[in-house]
Structures are given as C-alpha cells and as structure tokens.
C-alpha cells in the first residue's frame, strides 16, 4: 500500500502580523498561528493521490506543543495520521537543523511503515527559503522534485512518478524513481472545505508526540541552535515610501512638470538605453 508523508509547518499569519517598532521583533500576540498555506496544498495533493491509488497519508511537523492544531487541520483535509516532534532542544533551528530533525522523524515512521513519497509545500510563508524539502531529500538520499504543479502519474508497483515542474516560461515533464520528494506549488490544486466527518475526526484526534529521546541515532549537535550555522542577526521594518508628486494644471502644464521630474532624475536612466 502506498504510504505518503507530508511535511508541514505551523506559521504566523503574515496577513495579520505586526512588528514592534521599538524592538523590531514580531508581535506574536497579533499573529494567529495557521497551517502554512503551501503545506495545505501538499496535504491536499497527498490525499488526492491516496484516493487515486490507495494507501495512507501521514503528516509530520516540528514545533511547539500548539502545533497540534496544524496537524488537526491536516486530519480535516483527509490525512490519516499525524506526528509532532517537540522538544526545547529543537528550538532555534535553521533550515539545516530542521531538515535533520524532520528526517529523523521520517526515518522512525518508515520503520513502522515504509515511505513511498514525501510531499512538502514549496516554502513556508514565514521563511520563504524553500530549503527544508530538498534538505530532507538530500539526507534521505532520494530525488527532490521542486516546484511541482501537477502529478501526471504515480506507479507504486513499478516505483516511478511523472510530474510537471513549473518554470518561468512553461513547465517541464520529469520522471523520477520512487521513493522521492515533491515540493509543490499552490497551483497544484484547490483546497476545498473539509467534510463534516473529517472535522469530527480531527476534533477527537490526538497525534503522536515525540521528543528528541523518542527518535533514534540522533546527533544532538545537529539540533536547534547548536546545529544551525545561520542566524538572523537583525530584523527591521522597511521605511515607508515617500509621497509621490502630484501634477496639476492643463495637460500641457502637466507634461512640462513630468518632463522636469524626469530630467531631475535622469541619472536613474543612464546606462539603461535612456537619456
């Protein structure tokens, strides 16, 4: 039976988030936590593949205890099982340390039931790096297929997958062996409203919760801040743009004013085929 693992993340809602102007840090009190939108599409695609080919869908995430809410959302979408790895020793992880920790969780899951496919969102809206998915694939030594916007075929028996990868000017068709990892675009599907039975199941569902000690063969030095070679040294809000120039008068007068502004800023056009 096909076993798909979807890697997810709980993130602050960037549509509502505010920054503290004094500390230049995120005011988490104003930002509710949500399932990363790209990951919602990843879970939806995993569920669709399950319905198409049979099998089960597991979701895994690393985060604080409240991340259980994101797992329950995935159960609403149609996932079968959820795994949360949570421990203070994971705190402060960058993408390298995160991919290591999630890989260890997937390795434990695969011992209970071998994994045929891993699906991630293209990126998280709080980091925008797109590095965790490929990092997991590298650690598991499986092919990473990024920017996937269509799954053409998945053949668990012959162990291959065919997908479309989004490019700037079109798409390319790629065939890969299984197991492999997809990182998917939002355009791969539409996430519908969850049916009532799924919502009821999600309300009662309790995910598997693991600490570092529950994982196997873990190098503590590769977790959290110790395992993170990158740090955020400073965060600041960009300055608000200055107001524009309003043109007044007749069309001729406005044209003269516009020409005056262009001549004043002519250095911006030098070397670009301009003046």
């Amino acid at each position: 039976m096909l076993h798909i693992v979807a890697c997810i993340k709980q993130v602050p809602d960037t549509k509502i988030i505010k920054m503290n102007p004094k500390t230049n840090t995120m005011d988490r009190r104003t930002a509710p936590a949500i399932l990363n939108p790209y990951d919602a599409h990843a879970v939806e695609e995993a569920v669709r593949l399950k319905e198409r080919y049979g099998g089960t869908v597991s979701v895994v995430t690393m985060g604080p205890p409240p991340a259980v809410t994101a797992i329950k959302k995935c159960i609403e979408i149609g996932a079968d099982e959820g795994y949360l790895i949570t421990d203070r020793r994971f705190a402060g992880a960058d993408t390298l340390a995160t991919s290591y920790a999630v890989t260890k969780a997937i390795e434990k899951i695969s011992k209970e039931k071998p994994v045929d496919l891993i699906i991630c969102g293209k990126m998280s809206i709080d980091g925008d790096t797109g590095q965790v998915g490929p990092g997991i694939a590298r650690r598991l030594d499986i092919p990473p297929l990024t920017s996937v916007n269509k799954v053409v075929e998945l053949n668990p028996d012959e162990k291959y997958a065919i997908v479309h990868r989004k490019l700037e000017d079109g798409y390319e068709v790629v065939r890969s062996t299984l197991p492999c990892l997809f990182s998917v675009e939002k355009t791969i599907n539409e996430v519908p409203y969850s049916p009532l039975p799924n919502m009821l199941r999600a309300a009662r569902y309790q995910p598997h919760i693991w600490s570092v000690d529950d994982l196997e063969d873990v190098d503590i030095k590769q977790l959290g801040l110790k395992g993170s070679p990158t740090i955020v040294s400073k965060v600041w809000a960009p300055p608000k743009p200055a107001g524009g120039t309003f043109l007044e008068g007749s069309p001729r007068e406005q044209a003269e004013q516009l020409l005056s502004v262009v001549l004043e800023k002519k250095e911006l056009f030098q070397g670009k085929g301009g003046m």
Side-chain angles (χ1 to χ4, degrees), residues 122-136:
K122 178 183 177 180
M123 62 186 184
S124 62
I125 60 173
D126 62 341
D128 290 2
T129 64
Q131 296 174 347
V132 173
I136 293 170

Side-chain angles (χ1 to χ4, degrees), residues 7-227:
C7 301
I8 68 162
K9 184 180 182 182
Q10 188 178 61
V11 296
D13 190 341
T14 54
K15 294 179 181 178
I16 303 176
I17 191 172
K18 294 181 180 179
M19 299 295 291
N20 186 315
K22 295 182 179 179
T23 63
N24 281 327
T25 58
M26 181 175 65
D27 186 354
R28 292 186 177 271
R29 295 173 299 177
T30 65
I34 61 171
L35 172 64
N36 180 49
Y38 283 92
D39 297 343
H41 291 276
V43 176
E44 173 65 22
E45 191 63 23
V47 171
R48 293 188 183 195
L49 292 172
K50 177 187 72 170
E51 294 172 348
R52 185 173 167 186
Y53 297 103
T56 58
V57 174
S58 302
V59 296
V60 60
T61 187
M62 182 186 80
V68 165
T69 303
I71 292 179
K72 286 179 174 286
K73 180 60 181 178
C74 295
I75 300 298
E76 282 188 22
I77 295 173
D80 300 290
E81 296 291 342
Y83 299 82
L84 168 63
I85 55 172
T86 183
D87 195 302
R88 288 186 178 276
R89 286 171 284 184
F90 293 134
D94 67 358
T95 56
L96 188 69
T98 298
S99 65
Y100 177 76
V102 174
T103 297
K104 287 301 177 182
I106 294 173
E107 287 176 344
K108 180 169 181 176
I109 293 170
S110 65
K111 285 189 175 182
E112 300 175 3
K113 188 171 187 178
V115 176
D116 301 287
L117 175 66
I118 300 171
I119 298 185
C120 308
K122 178 183 177 180
M123 62 186 184
S124 62
I125 60 173
D126 62 341
D128 290 2
T129 64
Q131 296 174 347
V132 173
I136 293 170
R138 177 65 183 87
R139 293 181 184 280
L140 292 173
D141 195 24
I142 60 175
L145 279 65
T146 58
S147 299
V148 174
N149 63 358
K150 182 178 180 180
V151 179
V152 178
E153 183 181 357
L154 200 64
N155 193 316
D157 297 326
E158 298 184 25
K159 302 293 184 182
Y160 71 84
I162 300 176
V163 304
H164 289 182
R165 291 188 64 247
K166 182 180 178 181
L167 304 177
E168 289 186 0
D169 56 352
Y171 68 90
E172 65 179 2
V173 181
V174 180
R175 174 171 171 146
S176 170
T177 57
L178 291 177
C180 64
L181 180 143
F182 299 164
S183 64
V184 303
E185 299 276 353
K186 286 184 180 180
T187 53
I188 195 169
N189 56 46
E190 292 290 336
V191 182
Y193 288 107
S194 301
L196 181 59
N198 286 14
M199 296 174 69
L200 295 175
R201 180 171 182 263
R204 298 189 298 265
Y205 184 78
Q206 294 299 320
H208 307 270
I209 299 178
W210 293 337
S211 69
V212 171
D213 297 330
D214 293 312
L215 305 178
E216 299 177 9
D217 300 322
V218 175
D219 180 1
I220 301 297
K221 293 180 181 179
Q222 296 191 54
L223 299 177
L225 283 173
K226 291 182 179 180

